[in-house]
Amino acid sequence: MRPQEDNETPSLQSPSVCSGYSLCLSKDTLFSYIRENVKDYLHTHWGEEECQQDVSLLRKQAEEDSHLEGVVLIPPRSEHGADDTEQMIQAVVDNVYWQMSLDRKTPALKQLQGHIWRAAFADGTVKAEFFEDVVPAIRKWRQAGMKVYIYSSGSVEAQKLLFGYSTEGDILELFDGHFDTKIGHKIESESYRRIATSIGCSPNNILFLTDVTREANAAEEADVHVAVVVRPGNAGLTDDEKSYFNLITSFNELFLPSST
């Protein structure tokens, strides 16, 4: 698919907009909370089955990553007392830090993050904070008859927490559906075809918003329209990427046709 010219609107009929939640959120608070609280969370919930499932997934992921530089392996659970437990918890913490430093989006990491956020949202410690353009723009799109979906490497559970516990209140009603990597990875073109089939929409009537050019390339291969969203803290773009992709810095820069 050829790139759109600057500020050019894709020609869509009955359009749907698909976005990752990271484009909507000011991420500093959320991810800082993970870094600052993952150890306390593990100490508090270590004896719970859900927490042990999270740790098992991270351990398995670490084993798969053993060829990567800097990976922190997580020792198996033992019955040798508090010292071994503390060693294991520290290994989990170090692995989480390592993955986050590389901006990895593994299901194991995302699952643990989602559970930490769930606890924080439930007690009111944290609320998701959106960029100021996001909610008004989505409301406008929906009023125009468009459908809006979230496709993220974060689990559907985590997505619903973020949009259910926000500084804007519960805004889950603004979204027609949620997808995560269970439908396929975001750098695989087939994932976007599966989403199109799932929502009953032709791929070329979908606009996908992303801040990751590998995802943009995969979506284009599936005949999905793409806009790359430039937000504070995002990875930089090459000159070729800047000239090729349709770039926006705010959802307000999208002028999409009504579906009616």
Side-chain angles (χ1 to χ4, degrees):
M1 183 182 300
R2 296 181 62 182
Q4 301 291 323
E5 298 296 332
D6 289 347
N7 299 320
E8 181 183 349
T9 299
S11 177
L12 310 179
Q13 301 296 323
S14 301
S16 297
V17 180
C18 194
S19 169
Y21 67 66
S22 64
L23 307 181
C24 307
L25 294 163
S26 178
K27 295 178 282 188
D28 289 348
T29 299
L30 287 172
F31 289 105
S32 293
Y33 184 86
I34 296 293
R35 293 185 183 93
E36 293 167 5
N37 292 276
V38 59
K39 191 169 188 175
D40 287 343
Y41 175 88
L42 291 169
H43 276 294
T44 300
H45 298 276
W46 189 255
E48 299 172 11
E49 182 179 354
E50 181 180 79
C51 184
Q52 287 305 311
Q53 290 173 350
D54 293 344
V55 172
S56 293
L57 283 177
L58 285 166
R59 183 182 294 114
K60 181 178 178 181
Q61 182 65 53
E63 291 169 357
E64 294 174 2
D65 293 337
S66 60
H67 63 287
L68 299 178
E69 183 179 355
V71 64
V72 180
L73 297 176
I74 299 170
R77 191 172 186 179
S78 72
E79 305 298 332
H80 296 307
D83 288 344
D84 280 359
T85 296
E86 191 60 37
Q87 180 184 7
M88 217 181 321
I89 288 175
Q90 188 60 53
V92 174
V93 172
D94 292 343
N95 181 277
V96 167
Y97 287 171
W98 173 73
Q99 291 203 58
M100 291 180 69
S101 73
L102 298 175
D103 195 27
R104 302 193 76 206
K105 304 178 188 298
T106 62
L109 175 64
K110 291 298 182 180
Q111 179 168 302
L112 177 61
Q113 288 175 334
H115 291 156
I116 295 172
W117 285 330
R118 182 183 62 195
F121 289 139
D123 66 17
T125 303
V126 172
K127 290 184 181 294
E129 182 177 354
F130 297 95
F131 293 110
E132 62 181 13
D133 57 288
V134 169
V135 175
I138 294 175
R139 292 190 189 279
K140 187 182 299 183
W141 298 342
R142 289 188 58 85
Q143 289 168 3
M146 284 172 269
K147 294 182 179 294
V148 182
Y149 299 86
I150 297 295
Y151 176 31
S152 175
S153 54
S155 68
V156 168
E157 179 187 16
Q159 295 173 34
K160 291 182 176 180
L161 285 168
L162 294 171
F163 291 107
Y165 295 88
S166 81
T167 53
E168 301 284 340
D170 183 346
I171 60 170
L172 282 168
E173 65 181 12
L174 296 180
F175 302 98
D176 293 277
H178 300 260
F179 298 94
D180 57 22
T181 53
K182 288 181 180 178
I183 204 161
H185 291 289
K186 297 178 75 178
I187 59 173
E188 297 173 354
S189 59
E190 188 60 31
S191 303
Y192 300 88
R193 298 186 184 98
R194 293 190 191 109
I195 288 174
T197 299
S198 176
I199 65 178
C201 182
S202 171
N204 62 12
N205 283 329
I206 297 174
L207 174 64
F208 177 57
L209 307 178
T210 182
D211 56 0
V212 179
T213 56
R214 291 180 69 196
E215 297 173 3
N217 287 326
E220 283 199 336
E221 287 176 8
D223 202 29
V224 169
H225 294 275
V226 171
V228 173
V229 185
V230 180
R231 294 290 198 189
N234 286 0
L237 302 175
T238 66
D239 289 341
D240 286 345
E241 289 169 340
K242 290 176 182 177
S243 63
Y244 179 81
F245 290 109
N246 182 25
L247 306 181
I248 62 172
T249 59
S250 165
F251 284 11
N252 294 328
E253 295 171 23
L254 288 172
F255 299 95
L256 300 180
S258 169
S259 67
T260 58

